[in-house]
Amino acid sequence: MTRTYEENLKELKELIRILESGAVPLEEMLTHYEHGMELINTCEKMLESAELKIVLLQES
């Protein structure tokens, strides 16, 4: 099942909260950071796709 932009963004915000708290071991922080970067890339791709759709709709 594909996750929505909003679901990805919610998870990213939670990861940021965890990382900023400093309450997890370094190895876990690195894992969270890597996953956060993946979420950022996914969200950026979703936004780019939405932007392209808007442009195409405006042109038609």
Side-chain angles (χ1 to χ4, degrees), residues 20-56:
E20 288 179 341
S21 76
V24 294
L26 178 60
E27 191 63 35
E28 190 174 338
M29 287 182 78
L30 289 172
T31 300
H32 287 321
Y33 180 83
E34 289 173 357
H35 185 56
M37 292 305 296
E38 291 170 2
L39 288 170
I40 288 170
N41 290 332
T42 298
C43 287
E44 285 178 345
K45 288 176 185 173
M46 293 173 103
L47 288 174
E48 289 170 0
S49 176
E51 183 179 18
L52 179 60
K53 287 179 185 177
I54 291 169
V55 168
L56 292 174

Side-chain angles (χ1 to χ4, degrees), residues 8-19:
N8 287 324
L9 187 59
K10 182 179 178 183
E11 183 178 359
L12 179 59
K13 287 179 180 182
E14 177 61 17
L15 288 175
I16 291 169
R17 186 193 65 73
I18 292 168
L19 290 171

